[in-house]
PDB file of all heavy atoms in Angstrom:
ATOM      1  N   ASP A   1     -76.065 -12.639 -18.923  1.00 93.00           N
ATOM      2  CA  ASP A   1     -76.630 -13.727 -18.111  1.00 93.00           C
ATOM      3  C   ASP A   1     -75.727 -14.953 -18.173  1.00 93.00           C
ATOM      4  O   ASP A   1     -75.552 -15.535 -19.260  1.00 93.00           O
ATOM      5  CB  ASP A   1     -78.031 -14.056 -18.624  1.00 93.00           C
ATOM      6  CG  ASP A   1     -78.711 -15.178 -17.856  1.00 93.00           C
ATOM      7  OD1 ASP A   1     -78.197 -15.564 -16.767  1.00 93.00           O
ATOM      8  OD2 ASP A   1     -79.731 -15.673 -18.329  1.00 93.00           O
ATOM      9  N   PRO A   2     -75.160 -15.382 -17.053  1.00 92.00           N
ATOM     10  CA  PRO A   2     -74.252 -16.531 -17.099  1.00 92.00           C
ATOM     11  C   PRO A   2     -74.948 -17.830 -17.537  1.00 92.00           C
ATOM     12  O   PRO A   2     -74.316 -18.662 -18.181  1.00 92.00           O
ATOM     13  CB  PRO A   2     -73.713 -16.652 -15.679  1.00 92.00           C
ATOM     14  CG  PRO A   2     -74.616 -15.835 -14.830  1.00 92.00           C
ATOM     15  CD  PRO A   2     -75.261 -14.830 -15.701  1.00 92.00           C
ATOM     16  N   ALA A   3     -76.218 -17.976 -17.242  1.00 90.00           N
ATOM     17  CA  ALA A   3     -76.945 -19.177 -17.652  1.00 90.00           C
ATOM     18  C   ALA A   3     -77.094 -19.182 -19.190  1.00 90.00           C
ATOM     19  O   ALA A   3     -76.994 -20.247 -19.818  1.00 90.00           O
ATOM     20  CB  ALA A   3     -78.297 -19.254 -16.998  1.00 90.00           C
ATOM     21  N   ALA A   4     -77.293 -18.025 -19.796  1.00 91.00           N
ATOM     22  CA  ALA A   4     -77.391 -17.923 -21.247  1.00 91.00           C
ATOM     23  C   ALA A   4     -76.049 -18.288 -21.881  1.00 91.00           C
ATOM     24  O   ALA A   4     -76.027 -18.986 -22.916  1.00 91.00           O
ATOM     25  CB  ALA A   4     -77.803 -16.518 -21.671  1.00 91.00           C
ATOM     26  N   ARG A   5     -74.951 -17.858 -21.269  1.00 92.00           N
ATOM     27  CA  ARG A   5     -73.629 -18.205 -21.788  1.00 92.00           C
ATOM     28  C   ARG A   5     -73.424 -19.716 -21.731  1.00 92.00           C
ATOM     29  O   ARG A   5     -72.938 -20.334 -22.682  1.00 92.00           O
ATOM     30  CB  ARG A   5     -72.528 -17.489 -21.009  1.00 92.00           C
ATOM     31  CG  ARG A   5     -72.510 -16.001 -21.205  1.00 92.00           C
ATOM     32  CD  ARG A   5     -71.271 -15.363 -20.647  1.00 92.00           C
ATOM     33  NE  ARG A   5     -71.008 -15.596 -19.238  1.00 92.00           N
ATOM     34  CZ  ARG A   5     -71.392 -14.814 -18.239  1.00 92.00           C
ATOM     35  NH1 ARG A   5     -72.089 -13.718 -18.502  1.00 92.00           N
ATOM     36  NH2 ARG A   5     -71.089 -15.115 -17.009  1.00 92.00           N
ATOM     37  N   ALA A   6     -73.788 -20.313 -20.587  1.00 91.00           N
ATOM     38  CA  ALA A   6     -73.588 -21.762 -20.410  1.00 91.00           C
ATOM     39  C   ALA A   6     -74.455 -22.545 -21.388  1.00 91.00           C
ATOM     40  O   ALA A   6     -74.003 -23.529 -21.992  1.00 91.00           O
ATOM     41  CB  ALA A   6     -73.935 -22.157 -18.986  1.00 91.00           C
ATOM     42  N   LEU A   7     -75.680 -22.117 -21.593  1.00 91.00           N
ATOM     43  CA  LEU A   7     -76.574 -22.815 -22.509  1.00 91.00           C
ATOM     44  C   LEU A   7     -76.068 -22.708 -23.943  1.00 91.00           C
ATOM     45  O   LEU A   7     -76.098 -23.689 -24.691  1.00 91.00           O
ATOM     46  CB  LEU A   7     -77.990 -22.260 -22.395  1.00 91.00           C
ATOM     47  CG  LEU A   7     -79.092 -23.081 -23.029  1.00 91.00           C
ATOM     48  CD1 LEU A   7     -79.101 -24.514 -22.535  1.00 91.00           C
ATOM     49  CD2 LEU A   7     -80.432 -22.428 -22.794  1.00 91.00           C
ATOM     50  N   ALA A   8     -75.579 -21.534 -24.310  1.00 92.00           N
ATOM     51  CA  ALA A   8     -74.993 -21.360 -25.653  1.00 92.00           C
ATOM     52  C   ALA A   8     -73.806 -22.290 -25.841  1.00 92.00           C
ATOM     53  O   ALA A   8     -73.645 -22.922 -26.907  1.00 92.00           O
ATOM     54  CB  ALA A   8     -74.602 -19.908 -25.895  1.00 92.00           C
ATOM     55  N   ALA A   9     -72.973 -22.412 -24.819  1.00 91.00           N
ATOM     56  CA  ALA A   9     -71.822 -23.315 -24.904  1.00 91.00           C
ATOM     57  C   ALA A   9     -72.285 -24.761 -25.076  1.00 91.00           C
ATOM     58  O   ALA A   9     -71.697 -25.506 -25.862  1.00 91.00           O
ATOM     59  CB  ALA A   9     -70.949 -23.175 -23.664  1.00 91.00           C
ATOM     60  N   CYS A  10     -73.350 -25.138 -24.358  1.00 89.00           N
ATOM     61  CA  CYS A  10     -73.886 -26.496 -24.506  1.00 89.00           C
ATOM     62  C   CYS A  10     -74.437 -26.725 -25.901  1.00 89.00           C
ATOM     63  O   CYS A  10     -74.218 -27.782 -26.497  1.00 89.00           O
ATOM     64  CB  CYS A  10     -74.949 -26.744 -23.453  1.00 89.00           C
ATOM     65  SG  CYS A  10     -74.304 -26.845 -21.780  1.00 89.00           S
ATOM     66  N   TYR A  11     -75.189 -25.755 -26.410  1.00 90.00           N
ATOM     67  CA  TYR A  11     -75.733 -25.874 -27.776  1.00 90.00           C
ATOM     68  C   TYR A  11     -74.585 -26.055 -28.773  1.00 90.00           C
ATOM     69  O   TYR A  11     -74.644 -26.929 -29.621  1.00 90.00           O
ATOM     70  CB  TYR A  11     -76.501 -24.623 -28.162  1.00 90.00           C
ATOM     71  CG  TYR A  11     -77.903 -24.519 -27.607  1.00 90.00           C
ATOM     72  CD1 TYR A  11     -78.444 -23.264 -27.340  1.00 90.00           C
ATOM     73  CD2 TYR A  11     -78.688 -25.629 -27.363  1.00 90.00           C
ATOM     74  CE1 TYR A  11     -79.729 -23.133 -26.844  1.00 90.00           C
ATOM     75  CE2 TYR A  11     -79.976 -25.496 -26.883  1.00 90.00           C
ATOM     76  CZ  TYR A  11     -80.490 -24.259 -26.628  1.00 90.00           C
ATOM     77  OH  TYR A  11     -81.759 -24.147 -26.142  1.00 90.00           O
ATOM     78  N   LEU A  12     -73.573 -25.220 -28.653  1.00 91.00           N
ATOM     79  CA  LEU A  12     -72.439 -25.294 -29.601  1.00 91.00           C
ATOM     80  C   LEU A  12     -71.723 -26.615 -29.486  1.00 91.00           C
ATOM     81  O   LEU A  12     -71.307 -27.211 -30.469  1.00 91.00           O
ATOM     82  CB  LEU A  12     -71.488 -24.116 -29.369  1.00 91.00           C
ATOM     83  CG  LEU A  12     -72.051 -22.758 -29.809  1.00 91.00           C
ATOM     84  CD1 LEU A  12     -71.254 -21.626 -29.194  1.00 91.00           C
ATOM     85  CD2 LEU A  12     -72.084 -22.643 -31.325  1.00 91.00           C
ATOM     86  N   GLY A  13     -71.567 -27.106 -28.258  1.00 88.00           N
ATOM     87  CA  GLY A  13     -70.943 -28.405 -28.065  1.00 88.00           C
ATOM     88  C   GLY A  13     -71.734 -29.508 -28.721  1.00 88.00           C
ATOM     89  O   GLY A  13     -71.160 -30.448 -29.298  1.00 88.00           O
ATOM     90  N   GLY A  14     -73.045 -29.410 -28.683  1.00 87.00           N
ATOM     91  CA  GLY A  14     -73.908 -30.398 -29.311  1.00 87.00           C
ATOM     92  C   GLY A  14     -73.839 -30.354 -30.822  1.00 87.00           C
ATOM     93  O   GLY A  14     -74.175 -31.338 -31.500  1.00 87.00           O
ATOM     94  N   MET A  15     -73.421 -29.227 -31.379  1.00 87.00           N
ATOM     95  CA  MET A  15     -73.326 -29.103 -32.830  1.00 87.00           C
ATOM     96  C   MET A  15     -72.058 -29.751 -33.362  1.00 87.00           C
ATOM     97  O   MET A  15     -71.911 -29.961 -34.574  1.00 87.00           O
ATOM     98  CB  MET A  15     -73.345 -27.632 -33.234  1.00 87.00           C
ATOM     99  CG  MET A  15     -74.682 -26.983 -33.029  1.00 87.00           C
ATOM    100  SD  MET A  15     -74.573 -25.244 -33.493  1.00 87.00           S
ATOM    101  CE  MET A  15     -76.121 -24.630 -32.836  1.00 87.00           C
ATOM    102  N   GLY A  16     -71.124 -30.049 -32.473  1.00 87.00           N
ATOM    103  CA  GLY A  16     -69.897 -30.712 -32.877  1.00 87.00           C
ATOM    104  C   GLY A  16     -69.068 -29.903 -33.852  1.00 87.00           C
ATOM    105  O   GLY A  16     -68.969 -28.677 -33.734  1.00 87.00           O
ATOM    106  N   GLY A  17     -68.480 -30.577 -34.821  1.00 89.00           N
ATOM    107  CA  GLY A  17     -67.576 -29.954 -35.784  1.00 89.00           C
ATOM    108  C   GLY A  17     -68.224 -28.863 -36.618  1.00 89.00           C
ATOM    109  O   GLY A  17     -67.527 -28.001 -37.155  1.00 89.00           O
ATOM    110  N   ARG A  18     -69.555 -28.901 -36.748  1.00 90.00           N
ATOM    111  CA  ARG A  18     -70.241 -27.858 -37.519  1.00 90.00           C
ATOM    112  C   ARG A  18     -70.047 -26.482 -36.879  1.00 90.00           C
ATOM    113  O   ARG A  18     -70.180 -25.480 -37.532  1.00 90.00           O
ATOM    114  CB  ARG A  18     -71.722 -28.183 -37.635  1.00 90.00           C
ATOM    115  CG  ARG A  18     -71.980 -29.472 -38.410  1.00 90.00           C
ATOM    116  CD  ARG A  18     -73.460 -29.759 -38.448  1.00 90.00           C
ATOM    117  NE  ARG A  18     -74.029 -29.794 -37.100  1.00 90.00           N
ATOM    118  CZ  ARG A  18     -74.477 -30.876 -36.480  1.00 90.00           C
ATOM    119  NH1 ARG A  18     -74.414 -32.028 -37.091  1.00 90.00           N
ATOM    120  NH2 ARG A  18     -74.965 -30.826 -35.273  1.00 90.00           N
ATOM    121  N   ALA A  19     -69.753 -26.463 -35.582  1.00 90.00           N
ATOM    122  CA  ALA A  19     -69.598 -25.216 -34.842  1.00 90.00           C
ATOM    123  C   ALA A  19     -68.135 -24.895 -34.570  1.00 90.00           C
ATOM    124  O   ALA A  19     -67.809 -24.192 -33.619  1.00 90.00           O
ATOM    125  CB  ALA A  19     -70.366 -25.274 -33.533  1.00 90.00           C
ATOM    126  N   SER A  20     -67.231 -25.356 -35.407  1.00 92.00           N
ATOM    127  CA  SER A  20     -65.809 -25.150 -35.178  1.00 92.00           C
ATOM    128  C   SER A  20     -65.436 -23.664 -35.127  1.00 92.00           C
ATOM    129  O   SER A  20     -64.441 -23.298 -34.484  1.00 92.00           O
ATOM    130  CB  SER A  20     -64.972 -25.872 -36.235  1.00 92.00           C
ATOM    131  OG  SER A  20     -65.269 -25.369 -37.514  1.00 92.00           O
ATOM    132  N   ALA A  21     -66.215 -22.809 -35.739  1.00 93.00           N
ATOM    133  CA  ALA A  21     -65.958 -21.373 -35.699  1.00 93.00           C
ATOM    134  C   ALA A  21     -66.110 -20.816 -34.282  1.00 93.00           C
ATOM    135  O   ALA A  21     -65.594 -19.741 -33.968  1.00 93.00           O
ATOM    136  CB  ALA A  21     -66.923 -20.625 -36.627  1.00 93.00           C
ATOM    137  N   ALA A  22     -66.752 -21.566 -33.387  1.00 92.00           N
ATOM    138  CA  ALA A  22     -66.978 -21.116 -32.010  1.00 92.00           C
ATOM    139  C   ALA A  22     -65.795 -21.392 -31.092  1.00 92.00           C
ATOM    140  O   ALA A  22     -65.773 -20.891 -29.974  1.00 92.00           O
ATOM    141  CB  ALA A  22     -68.220 -21.789 -31.453  1.00 92.00           C
ATOM    142  N   VAL A  23     -64.826 -22.163 -31.544  1.00 93.00           N
ATOM    143  CA  VAL A  23     -63.723 -22.587 -30.657  1.00 93.00           C
ATOM    144  C   VAL A  23     -63.016 -21.400 -29.984  1.00 93.00           C
ATOM    145  O   VAL A  23     -62.848 -21.415 -28.761  1.00 93.00           O
ATOM    146  CB  VAL A  23     -62.733 -23.517 -31.407  1.00 93.00           C
ATOM    147  CG1 VAL A  23     -61.485 -23.752 -30.591  1.00 93.00           C
ATOM    148  CG2 VAL A  23     -63.422 -24.817 -31.760  1.00 93.00           C
ATOM    149  N   PRO A  24     -62.633 -20.339 -30.696  1.00 93.00           N
ATOM    150  CA  PRO A  24     -61.959 -19.228 -29.989  1.00 93.00           C
ATOM    151  C   PRO A  24     -62.825 -18.591 -28.911  1.00 93.00           C
ATOM    152  O   PRO A  24     -62.339 -18.296 -27.803  1.00 93.00           O
ATOM    153  CB  PRO A  24     -61.655 -18.215 -31.115  1.00 93.00           C
ATOM    154  CG  PRO A  24     -61.617 -19.028 -32.365  1.00 93.00           C
ATOM    155  CD  PRO A  24     -62.635 -20.118 -32.153  1.00 93.00           C
ATOM    156  N   ALA A  25     -64.113 -18.431 -29.172  1.00 92.00           N
ATOM    157  CA  ALA A  25     -65.019 -17.844 -28.169  1.00 92.00           C
ATOM    158  C   ALA A  25     -65.202 -18.797 -27.004  1.00 92.00           C
ATOM    159  O   ALA A  25     -65.280 -18.357 -25.848  1.00 92.00           O
ATOM    160  CB  ALA A  25     -66.351 -17.496 -28.808  1.00 92.00           C
ATOM    161  N   LEU A  26     -65.256 -20.084 -27.266  1.00 92.00           N
ATOM    162  CA  LEU A  26     -65.396 -21.062 -26.188  1.00 92.00           C
ATOM    163  C   LEU A  26     -64.130 -21.105 -25.326  1.00 92.00           C
ATOM    164  O   LEU A  26     -64.210 -21.233 -24.101  1.00 92.00           O
ATOM    165  CB  LEU A  26     -65.693 -22.440 -26.759  1.00 92.00           C
ATOM    166  CG  LEU A  26     -67.095 -22.609 -27.343  1.00 92.00           C
ATOM    167  CD1 LEU A  26     -67.189 -23.893 -28.158  1.00 92.00           C
ATOM    168  CD2 LEU A  26     -68.128 -22.603 -26.236  1.00 92.00           C
ATOM    169  N   VAL A  27     -62.980 -20.967 -25.939  1.00 92.00           N
ATOM    170  CA  VAL A  27     -61.724 -20.938 -25.179  1.00 92.00           C
ATOM    171  C   VAL A  27     -61.704 -19.724 -24.240  1.00 92.00           C
ATOM    172  O   VAL A  27     -61.332 -19.834 -23.071  1.00 92.00           O
ATOM    173  CB  VAL A  27     -60.501 -20.954 -26.124  1.00 92.00           C
ATOM    174  CG1 VAL A  27     -59.221 -20.657 -25.378  1.00 92.00           C
ATOM    175  CG2 VAL A  27     -60.422 -22.280 -26.843  1.00 92.00           C
TER     176      VAL A  27
END
């Protein structure tokens, strides 16, 4: 679901540096 992907990206962005492990997946 593309909306689920977008929402997950927004959540991770809101977590800031605590979610640095997500950077490769976000790229």
Side-chain angles (χ1 to χ4, degrees):
D1 179 13
R5 293 191 304 268
L7 194 54
C10 291
Y11 281 149
L12 289 163
M15 291 178 191
R18 296 178 305 250
S20 61
V23 170
L26 288 167
V27 169

